[in-house]
Amino acid sequence: MDLQLKGKSVIVTAASKGLGKAVAMAFAHEGAHVLIGSRNEATLQSAVTDIKQETGNEQVDYVVCDMKNPKDISGLVEKAVSWNGTVDVLINNAGGPPAGKFMDMGDDDWYHAFELNLLSFIRATRAVVPHMKKQQKGHIVNLASSSIKQTLNNLVLSNTMRPGIVGLAKSLSQELGGDNILINTVGPGTIETDRIAELNQVQAEQQGTTVEAIKWDAQQLVPMKRYGKPEEFAKAILFLASGANTYITGQSLIVDGGLVKSL
Ligand SMILES: NC(=O)c1ccc[n+]([C@@H]2O[C@H](COP(=O)([O-])OP(=O)(O)OC[C@H]3O[C@@H](n4cnc5c(N)ncnc54)[C@H](OP(=O)(O)O)[C@@H]3O)[C@@H](O)[C@H]2O)c1
């Protein structure tokens, strides 16, 4: 299948490691011009080096971009436009919200999660849409969580903010379909990254057990009996954001090895 991504202007936010980096790697393999962002410049530089080395694609660059900072988000989009003339693909991603239950969270936690996990996607989308409208095409994919389909224990901030992404994407699919701008959401089940290692650590401390025990138990709950790999997750995003996807919009897809039981 020709994904028609060669030379396309692609932005992947929060992409210095983990899922974002795997997604950026997948686009680079397809010959896209890939601009990645995150907060830590040293990690970004090393991610760009890794992606160039693995893919042989030299058209990979970075901008320091904290997804909580609106100026950083505009700067990222401006850099992509000055580099490539437009933005063809935006992949919205951000760091995960802290774990915890409802009574653990004060107003500051709620504002933080709103700004990091929902408002950031709104801001980045608002910045790219005029460019996509001008060229009458574009793909936006939001990287969310399986909490868009089934709540996760001890993650009330995720369970509340992530479904907002789905509402946003569905609304935008209605508003922007006529401009040939397609927007979808992909949620990871459990894909092995530092984020999962951190959550497992929190759980192990709470339950007075080892990270290995938490990990083993979690994997038994997955019908495929294993965590996913970042590159497996990235393939779903790659397709939805590619020129091969011409008619899927406003949808949510979970990549989870069968973990989530909701229909
Ligand atoms: N892995 C999973 O199975 C899973 C499951 C459900 C949901 N998720 C969600 O998917 C997203 C990515 O997860 P991951 O597993 O790839 O996490 P990760 O391995 O911890 O990577 C997080 C990435 O986000 C960047 N980041 C964090 N805060 C940021 C901010 N304020 N602005 C810009 N970049 C920021 C980090 O770079 P810097 O530190 O340089 O900023 C890093 O590149 C998260 O929202 C996570 O909650 C993941």
Side-chain angles (χ1 to χ4, degrees):
M1 188 188 302
D2 180 6
L3 295 177
Q4 300 162 43
L5 285 165
K6 200 164 171 41
K8 295 291 183 207
S9 173
V10 175
I11 294 175
V12 188
T13 68
S16 61
K17 58 182 189 166
L19 302 180
K21 181 180 172 187
V23 169
M25 186 78 81
F27 280 107
H29 270 300
E30 295 298 320
H33 293 194
V34 186
L35 187 62
I36 64 172
S38 87
R39 295 163 304 174
N40 183 309
E41 184 155 21
T43 325
L44 278 167
Q45 279 170 342
S46 109
V48 166
T49 305
D50 287 351
I51 296 169
K52 284 182 177 174
Q53 269 173 5
E54 186 175 318
T55 65
N57 181 348
E58 285 299 310
Q59 303 304 315
V60 183
D61 207 347
Y62 73 88
V63 169
V64 174
C65 174
D66 182 344
M67 287 300 278
K68 285 185 74 181
N69 183 331
K71 284 203 184 112
D72 284 3
I73 294 173
S74 335
L76 181 70
V77 173
E78 277 160 23
K79 163 93 185 216
V81 172
S82 69
W83 180 22
N84 296 304
T86 189
V87 179
D88 297 296
V89 172
L90 168 67
I91 309 301
N92 278 318
N93 183 30
K101 292 188 165 54
F102 180 70
M103 290 308 283
D104 303 332
M105 303 299 170
D107 281 1
D108 284 351
D109 301 304
W110 287 102
Y111 282 124
H112 165 80
F114 168 63
E115 191 163 38
L116 180 64
N117 296 115
L118 185 52
L119 187 54
S120 62
F121 286 22
I122 293 168
R123 286 170 171 156
T125 301
R126 195 163 50 208
V128 301
V129 161
H131 302 287
M132 292 181 173
K133 277 193 169 192
K134 205 162 151 195
Q135 62 180 8
Q136 285 292 288
K137 62 177 174 171
H139 287 86
I140 300 168
V141 180
N142 301 316
L143 200 166
S145 162
S146 62
S147 63
I148 59 175
K149 295 275 188 192
Q150 179 174 287
T151 55
L152 294 164
N153 291 339
N154 204 38
L155 275 164
V156 69
L157 296 174
S158 174
N159 295 338
T160 308
M161 296 303 158
R162 310 286 200 186
I165 295 170
V166 175
L168 172 71
K170 186 58 96 173
S171 302
L172 289 173
S173 70
Q174 307 303 295
E175 287 188 28
L176 302 175
D179 296 300
N180 207 24
I181 300 169
L182 283 64
I183 175 157
N184 293 288
T185 304
V186 180
T190 314
I191 313 291
E192 200 153 18
T193 64
D194 290 356
R195 165 78 176 167
I196 294 305
E198 281 162 25
L199 292 175
N200 284 348
Q201 182 70 44
V202 170
Q203 229 182 318
E205 281 163 19
Q206 279 172 350
Q207 295 177 19
T209 182
T210 61
V211 170
E212 290 68 31
I214 294 289
K215 191 173 162 182
W216 197 87
D217 286 350
Q219 289 182 323
Q220 297 320 298
L221 295 175
V222 182
M224 293 185 72
K225 303 290 178 218
R226 63 177 178 87
Y227 286 163
K229 298 180 193 137
E231 56 273 23
E232 293 178 296
F233 176 81
K235 285 178 197 162
I237 293 208
L238 191 71
F239 170 73
L240 286 170
S242 75
N245 173 22
T246 52
Y247 207 56
I248 302 171
T249 188
Q251 300 305 309
S252 302
L253 175 70
I254 302 294
V255 179
D256 68 346
L259 177 66
V260 172
K261 294 194 182 69
S262 74
L263 299 176

